[in-house]
Amino acid sequence: MAMPQPSWGIGVSDAPSSPRTMRTLRKIQSHQVLTTSSALIAQTQSSHLSATHGTDTGSSATQSGSTIRTPARRPRSNSDAAAREPSSLVAPVPTQRRPARKTGSGVGIKRSLLENLVRDGPHNGNTKQALQELKYLVLSTGVDADGDGMSPYRVYLWLILLNVAPLPTDDYLALVHRGGSPAYAKIRNDTFRTLATDPLFKRRVTEASLIRLLNAVAWKLHDTKNKPRSRPSSSRRLEMEMLVNTPPSIKEEPELEDPGSGPSSAINDSAIYVQGMNVLCAPFLYAARSEVEAFALFHYFVTKECPGYIRGAMDGVHRGLRLVDRCLEIVEPKLAAYLFSKGMYAELYAFPSVLTLCACTPPLPEVLHLWDFLFAYGPHLNILCIVAQLIRMRDTLLESPSPNKVLRSLPPLDAKGIIALTVLLVQKIPDDLYAEMVNHAK
């Protein structure tokens, strides 16, 4: 069943190789099982049987001293540059392909209200009302996904919630074809460690794909940092002089952007790559159906939602860590006092969780569900999600004489439980502190 492009005024990358009609996008399929154990047994038995009965095929192969090699099929991934798997040494035997796993968007399968809204777009063109409904459905029903966390419409949901515009594939390819960026060595030093113990991620996303995307983002940030600021033209200077010389009584507010402030200034002060961006990038690549989609989402996120996380000093991350301590002190003062008495402040255990929006804590399918919530209601709520994880560990921490050992690795994520507790914690946070949470990553 084809997956149509959402009619929200925003969308996915317009890859030249795919048709541009609304309902011709291929249905996503999780990493397929390439060779089942029963198929391998059947192949081995067939090869052994041929050799035993002295068939022509077996004898010719034996006489020539060579074996028939059949390349094994690779799992589905976003990379076309990964090393091939070792070839099979047995003769191929025709086997029936396993049917693709249904993920809730095929013929005769009932779709959820959330999926229908993503597919069909706003009713009567009321985008604001539809967006509110979309967020509520994310919170109340969640995104339908299989056991691996794969959903046929999650990436479109993220594009809508983050309001990411379509990106031409050629723009991404142009960045890839530029070769190694100034941060290429740092990127290569991190990518092989990205979610290294997660088999789901390793099956679907290759290191080559991760390197390409991070290198393309580094080039994009590099170009923005080194772009010369344009000087005002003579006519523009004349307008500015007229504004200066105009009496205050009739002066209008000039529509000029302060060159020393705003998002462009934040990007100019940012690094083109910092350690941890590889983990933050990983869920985007895992959930997306192409590198172009993942690139558009990731670049938008680090430049618009959390530019403070990628500045050289990572001041946004450090502000987030201080907010974790302050929020914990408000909502759970006894636990906070105990941790502080042991010298356990958030900067000692929560740095990866703040920087990566909890993507550093497995399992990956739960990370994706948590991100659905964060993208719907704001990534700043990740601060309270970390506090919620601490509260869920409250008894264990209070009973431990060395809580630092407990906090070396947080328990596996339970997205549903964390989200439910986070919603309750929001009501306990004062307005001024909540405002700091909203702006801490800018």
Side-chain angles (χ1 to χ4, degrees), residues 246-258:
T246 302
S249 59
I250 60 174
K251 184 182 298 185
E252 296 181 357
E253 187 70 20
E255 297 180 358
L256 299 175
E257 181 180 351
D258 183 3

Side-chain angles (χ1 to χ4, degrees), residues 387-399:
V387 174
Q389 294 177 71
L390 295 174
I391 295 176
R392 289 165 61 90
M393 303 168 58
R394 180 179 184 275
D395 293 341
T396 302
L397 290 171
L398 291 177
E399 293 172 1

Side-chain angles (χ1 to χ4, degrees), residues 7 22 45 50 68 102 118 131 157 162 168 194 197 215 233-234 248 323 330 368 424:
S7 55
M22 295 293 290
Q45 290 177 346
S50 299
I68 302 176
K102 296 184 181 299
V118 171
L131 189 59
L157 175 67
L162 294 177
T194 306
T197 60
N215 194 67
S233 61
S234 57
L323 286 170
I330 290 174
L368 301 182
L424 296 177

Side-chain angles (χ1 to χ4, degrees), residues 152-378:
Y153 62 92
R154 170 174 274 130
V155 65
Y156 303 106
L157 175 67
W158 289 2
L159 289 164
I160 292 168
L161 293 174
L162 294 177
N163 195 24
V164 177
L167 176 73
T169 302
D170 289 344
D171 290 359
Y172 174 69
L173 292 177
L175 294 169
V176 172
H177 292 159
R178 288 172 65 175
S181 69
Y184 182 73
K186 294 181 179 179
I187 292 172
R188 289 300 304 270
N189 193 43
D190 286 342
T191 50
F192 73 94
R193 295 186 293 232
T194 306
L195 305 185
T197 60
D198 194 315
L200 297 179
F201 180 77
K202 289 298 182 182
R203 270 207 305 262
R204 180 170 174 80
V205 181
T206 64
E207 185 184 1
S209 178
L210 192 60
I211 292 172
R212 282 196 297 268
L213 193 149
L214 290 171
N215 194 67
V217 170
W219 272 126
K220 192 78 171 177
L221 295 175
H222 175 270
D223 293 346
T224 303
K225 283 172 60 69
N226 294 276
K227 183 178 180 181
R229 295 181 180 177
S230 58
R231 300 180 61 182
S233 61
S234 57
S235 60
R236 190 58 174 163
R237 287 200 303 270
L238 181 59
E239 293 178 8
M240 295 171 65
E241 292 173 0
M242 291 178 63
L243 287 171
V244 171
N245 297 324
T246 302
S249 59
I250 60 174
K251 184 182 298 185
E252 296 181 357
E253 187 70 20
E255 297 180 358
L256 299 175
E257 181 180 351
D258 183 3
S261 63
S264 60
S265 177
I267 296 175
N268 286 334
D269 294 336
S270 68
I272 63 175
Y273 179 79
V274 295
Q275 191 174 24
M277 285 176 66
N278 56 316
V279 180
L280 184 61
C281 172
F284 288 112
L285 266 175
Y286 185 83
R289 299 177 62 184
S290 72
E291 287 182 25
V292 183
E293 288 175 345
F295 171 82
L297 282 164
F298 181 64
H299 178 260
Y300 175 88
F301 188 78
V302 297
T303 56
K304 303 298 183 182
E305 295 291 340
C306 59
Y309 285 7
I310 64 170
R311 279 194 280 271
M314 293 184 171
D315 53 338
V317 180
H318 291 289
R319 284 196 296 267
L321 293 170
R322 291 191 291 270
L323 286 170
V324 171
D325 288 332
R326 292 171 61 188
C327 291
L328 181 63
E329 195 171 16
I330 290 174
V331 301
E332 193 61 51
K334 182 178 180 180
L335 177 59
Y338 180 72
L339 292 179
F340 297 164
S341 68
K342 299 292 184 177
M344 290 303 297
Y345 295 92
E347 62 183 4
L348 298 179
Y349 60 85
F351 190 95
S353 297
V354 172
L355 174 61
T356 66
L357 270 68
C358 295
C360 59
T361 306
L364 188 53
E366 294 297 310
V367 173
L368 301 182
H369 282 298
L370 186 64
W371 279 27
D372 296 335
F373 167 72
L374 293 178
F375 293 162
Y377 291 94

Side-chain angles (χ1 to χ4, degrees), residues 47-115:
S47 177
H48 178 70
L49 185 62
S50 299
T52 302
H53 292 280
T55 58
D56 294 339
T57 304
S59 60
S60 60
T62 304
Q63 292 173 0
S64 59
S66 61
T67 57
I68 302 176
R69 300 177 65 88
T70 58
R73 295 173 58 195
R74 291 187 302 172
R76 183 184 185 279
S77 73
N78 293 324
S79 170
D80 55 0
R84 294 185 177 275
E85 296 180 357
S87 301
S88 173
L89 297 179
V90 296
V93 176
T95 57
Q96 292 184 349
R97 296 184 60 183
R98 292 181 58 182
R101 176 167 42 195
K102 296 184 181 299
T103 54
S105 60
V107 177
I109 298 178
K110 186 177 180 180
R111 296 197 296 263
S112 65
L113 294 176
L114 179 58
E115 183 175 0

